[in-house]
Amino acid sequence: MSANAYLVRMKPAPASLRAVVLLVLLLAAFFVSARVFSPLLLLDNIRQAAPLGVVVLGQALVLMMGRLDLSVGATASMANIVLCATFNGDMANLVPALALTLGAGALVGLANGIMATKLKIPAFLATLATSMIVAGLVVFFTGGSPRGAVPAQFRAVTEAWLFGIVPWSALIWLVLLIGLMLLVHYTMLGRKMILSGANLVAARHSGIPSDGLIVLSFVLCSLLAATGGILLSAITGMASIGVGNGFTLDSIAAAVIGGALFSGGVFLPLGAMAGALILFVVQSLLYLLALPPAAKFIVQGGIIVLALALASFRKGRSS
Amino acid sequence: MKQGIRMLATAAVLTAGLASAAFAAEKKYTIGYDNYFMGNSWSVQLAAEFKAEAERHKDQVDVVYVESAGDTQKQIANIEDLITKKVDAIITTPTSPTALIPALKKARAAGIKVILLASTIKSQDYDALVTVDDVAFGRAGAEWLVKQLNGKGDIIVLNGIAGLSTSDDRFKGAKEVFDKYPDIKIVAAVNASWDYAQGKQAVSNLLAANPKIDGVWSQGGAMTLGAIDAFEAAQRPLVPMTGEDNNGYLKRWKALEGKGFDSIGTSKPTWLGSEALLVTIKLLNGETVEKDMILPVPTITAADLDKFVKPDLSDSFWAGTRLTDDQVKAIFAN
């Protein structure tokens, strides 16, 4: 492939750009209501949005395969419980804590993938079922009173800033984003995944092992959901049941705002990032304006409608 | 002969034992306890307090436990089930102020005493309500805060979820107090769902937008923890903040005491679970009890913080307890 072709693929998709424009407008409103323009305030919001942002990347990946993962919230919540229990407040447990948490996440993804392919259960039902099982297991094993804590040193992952200007969690988010972009858009494996998502029948006829790729996307998604749960745990420092449950709906909303399609075949990491930031900044803006939480849902719903309307408006004109 | 006497004695003891057992069985009540939710540490401890009290009265009561898991439909079905089982009394924590009314009506029509624990319904179809007043909960923190600020200052308010009676009532109580002081200005009142991360997000943004914040009134310890961390991240000096009686918060407060941080821990005590059983037994014995037992809100101040904070227990433990240290350790050992 020529260097030129690489550059062409680097060009962000229109849907991603629309999400970025929406984000910029929102940030303008945000800074006006904060009555202060400070890049540090923006970076601080990016830092806190990272857990959601990482989960959205996974959701976008599953959406690319034409599926939906309703278990990301339960998986992130489980990651918080498992991480705190295995860490038990001691940095010496770092390796087993991370390994066990990510391992449990991968298992959830594997279960989702196998149910969605081998057992041919529609993905949204299969993942809904796993989310219930996972949430039930958490209550069963903790008896409702979770134990342990994240050691103070580990909390630097989300609380500390590199050179005092770049939050570590933002860097982790960016590295995962670039990694996924390279995987999907620049490797043969990724291109086979896109093709399977866009047109499963055609992909199978071309001898692509689509089922395996779908399982892979679910495993990656659950791993990212567990990572989001780990980042969230670093922010809160404590174990609490159901702490990541809001990620399920937020991740779908953010991915869709960022240009993901339920029909599959599209992976827009930049859009996914902008979508997650839009949801997070909307929340911050509502705090600044001290609006009731009902307003959050109305504004979120409005933004989704706006993003989708813009997309179909563009499509209508070009066709 | 000796043998005969021994046999007689044994028989006598046996008969006496049987008679007293029969007598006890006659007096023993069956109580249906609806465990409304097991999803957070407060609700877990509430149920544990009840169980511990039931254990202390096991010669008087038998308990049938049902689990509602925070689901109103399931709670209604559970109450119907307890009616069929002909229990003497039902203790429940309604998850809806209205949906349970028909089922509770039916229970009372069947002669079953209905005791509401920690949450009420919008009708009079119960025999006793055991709770603390959330309006008073909000008032207690607000009065303390106003005193710390000498009746003057810009404050932010961290509420739970608008529309839920707990959140609205607590804020109502606080607002009554703040309204009496024209120099207390609420610069922002936000809803952060009693959640640490949301509290932190709200406060860190409010700090950036408001160069002057003199106090924080929060109606939940987790949100106050988020506020403390947001102040520290923004390198702003800590201001007086209201908190709650959960151990995680008390530990943090203890650690910050040396840095001049002051707070108050208001409490909706989990020992309400134990109180509910005592009230139920009184009701079944035919004693008169106050129908609405709205208990005063216990508070923890800097003066008695050391008495309540438990450094060796997990963050999810709640200090307003009647459990023994051993029982607490079994549930909350870290």
Side-chain angles (χ1 to χ4, degrees):
Chain A
M1 205 187 315
S2 72
N4 203 23
Y6 271 109
L7 284 177
V8 167
R9 249 189 277 158
M10 283 289 283
K11 201 172 146 247
S16 293
L17 287 179
R18 274 196 296 276
V20 171
V21 169
L22 213 55
L23 175 63
V24 170
L25 290 176
L26 194 63
L27 284 173
F30 174 70
F31 285 121
V32 168
S33 16
R35 292 181 300 268
V36 44
F37 177 77
S38 131
L40 274 182
L41 180 58
L42 173 61
L43 280 167
D44 195 47
N45 271 286
I46 294 176
R47 173 180 75 82
Q48 296 182 67
L52 172 64
V54 169
V55 179
V56 173
L57 288 175
Q59 189 67 267
L61 199 65
V62 169
L63 280 165
M64 175 186 85
M65 305 302 287
R67 312 291 163 119
L68 193 62
D69 190 341
L70 295 182
S71 68
V72 290
T75 306
S77 298
M78 174 196 72
N80 164 259
I81 299 295
V82 174
L83 188 76
C84 288
T86 42
F87 248 138
N88 205 11
D90 188 352
M91 201 58 182
N93 298 328
L94 176 70
V95 175
L98 288 183
L100 211 63
T101 308
L102 291 173
L107 271 182
V108 174
L110 196 62
N112 284 337
I114 288 171
M115 281 197 284
T117 53
K118 297 282 171 276
L119 304 181
K120 297 197 166 42
I121 302 171
F124 74 97
L125 288 177
T127 54
L128 183 66
T130 27
S131 83
M132 288 172 175
I133 294 169
V134 167
L137 284 175
V138 163
V139 173
F140 179 74
F141 279 114
T142 60
S145 148
R147 289 166 191 219
V150 175
Q153 300 98 304
F154 184 75
R155 295 186 64 192
V157 168
T158 54
E159 303 308 286
W161 300 54
L162 178 63
F163 309 129
I165 44 168
V166 187
W168 281 105
S169 64
L171 270 184
I172 294 172
W173 186 2
L174 199 64
V175 166
L176 289 171
L177 186 150
I178 293 172
L180 280 177
M181 189 179 77
L182 293 177
L183 169 75
V184 173
H185 291 294
Y186 295 92
T187 67
M188 190 49 83
L189 180 74
R191 303 196 61 79
K192 284 178 179 169
M193 286 175 85
I194 293 196
L195 184 59
S196 303
N199 192 334
L200 191 57
V201 180
R204 282 203 180 120
H205 280 301
S206 334
I208 294 173
S210 297
D211 278 3
L213 296 178
I214 291 170
V215 174
L216 176 66
S217 75
F218 274 109
V219 170
L220 286 175
C221 178
S222 294
L223 278 173
L224 288 164
T227 308
I230 292 172
L231 292 177
L232 187 62
S233 310
I235 289 184
T236 70
M238 56 192 154
S240 34
I241 288 179
V243 71
N245 288 1
F247 284 158
T248 300
L249 286 184
D250 280 354
S251 68
I252 296 168
V256 169
I257 291 171
L261 298 175
F262 282 104
S263 45
V266 177
F267 184 72
L268 306 171
L270 182 65
M273 183 175 198
L277 279 174
I278 285 172
L279 285 193
F280 197 84
V281 173
V282 162
Q283 179 67 68
S284 292
L285 181 63
L286 294 177
Y287 284 142
L288 283 180
L289 302 174
L291 288 177
K296 174 191 165 189
F297 295 116
I298 296 170
V299 173
Q300 266 186 16
I303 288 176
I304 294 173
V305 171
L306 188 70
L308 294 183
L310 278 174
S312 42
F313 174 69
R314 289 279 313 218
K315 247 187 252 161
R317 259 204 335 196
S318 58
S319 63
Chain B
M1 188 62 199
K2 236 181 187 171
Q3 195 95 19
I5 292 174
R6 194 177 283 168
M7 266 177 75
L8 259 177
T10 316
V13 168
L14 270 175
T15 328
L18 280 173
S20 73
F23 182 67
E26 223 173 51
K27 276 210 63 177
K28 220 168 177 183
Y29 302 119
T30 308
I31 295 174
Y33 183 83
D34 164 46
N35 200 346
Y36 80 107
F37 188 52
M38 283 295 267
N40 63 45
S41 62
W42 191 85
S43 58
V44 169
Q45 197 172 328
L46 183 79
E49 307 260 2
F50 174 85
K51 267 185 198 151
E53 197 63 62
E55 186 61 25
R56 283 194 279 271
H57 292 84
K58 62 177 175 213
D59 52 333
Q60 275 173 288
V61 296
D62 281 323
V63 184
V64 181
Y65 290 97
V66 289
E67 305 267 345
S68 290
D71 179 347
T72 308
Q73 292 308 319
K74 207 164 168 193
Q75 197 165 33
I76 294 170
N78 280 338
I79 287 168
E80 300 274 354
D81 188 35
L82 290 172
I83 296 171
T84 322
K85 287 197 173 116
K86 294 195 167 60
V87 295
D88 298 306
I90 293 175
I91 300 175
T92 181
T93 303
T95 52
S96 152
T98 50
L100 250 63
I101 294 173
L104 294 180
K105 247 191 186 122
K106 195 169 153 193
R108 290 185 83 214
I112 298 171
K113 300 280 184 209
V114 169
I115 295 89
L116 304 184
L117 168 58
S119 159
T120 188
I121 52 170
K122 284 187 173 149
S123 86
Q124 290 296 313
D125 297 293
Y126 57 91
D127 295 282
L129 161 68
V130 182
T131 187
V132 297
D133 185 4
D134 280 312
V135 178
F137 183 105
R139 202 185 294 132
E143 274 164 358
W144 174 86
L145 187 61
V146 165
K147 214 162 151 195
Q148 294 296 308
L149 301 176
N150 294 318
K152 191 167 175 293
D154 292 352
I155 61 166
I156 53 177
V157 162
L158 299 177
N159 282 324
I161 296 170
L164 285 191
S165 68
T166 307
S167 180
D168 290 351
D169 286 351
R170 286 179 182 182
F171 183 48
K172 191 177 141 206
K175 192 100 190 352
E176 281 169 12
V177 176
F178 294 140
D179 284 349
K180 280 190 272 181
Y181 296 87
D183 291 334
I184 291 276
K185 199 176 135 220
I186 299 177
V187 291
V190 302
N191 293 284
S193 313
W194 292 290
D195 175 71
Y196 171 91
Q198 290 189 35
K200 192 173 182 180
Q201 184 190 349
V203 175
S204 58
N205 281 294
L206 288 171
L207 280 174
N210 297 283
K212 181 173 167 282
I213 291 175
D214 305 311
V216 176
W217 180 86
S218 156
Q219 54 161 281
M223 292 191 295
T224 316
L225 277 177
I228 291 172
D229 283 348
F231 268 77
E232 293 205 320
Q235 296 178 344
R236 295 265 286 261
L238 289 175
V239 297
M241 302 183 191
T242 67
E244 216 178 351
D245 65 336
N246 54 320
N247 204 33
Y249 180 69
L250 298 181
K251 279 188 199 167
R252 189 67 188 276
W253 177 5
K254 183 73 203 149
L256 290 171
E257 239 188 349
K259 294 188 194 167
F261 176 69
D262 201 0
S263 182
I264 184 170
T266 37
S267 165
K268 186 163 190 174
T270 52
W271 54 251
L272 290 172
S274 123
E275 192 65 29
L277 181 73
L278 299 180
V279 169
T280 306
I281 293 174
K282 274 189 193 165
L283 265 176
L284 291 171
N285 283 340
E287 296 171 41
T288 47
V289 301
E290 210 176 330
K291 182 167 180 183
D292 291 308
M293 267 193 75
I294 316 272
L295 300 153
V297 175
T299 54
I300 298 170
T301 60
D304 51 10
L305 176 59
D306 285 337
K307 225 169 60 196
F308 289 98
V309 64
K310 298 266 192 287
D312 53 332
L313 292 184
S314 92
D315 290 357
S316 28
F317 165 69
W318 296 79
T321 184
R322 282 180 189 167
L323 295 172
T324 64
D325 280 358
D326 286 342
Q327 286 167 330
V328 167
K329 276 198 188 109
I331 311 173
F332 294 106
N334 214 338

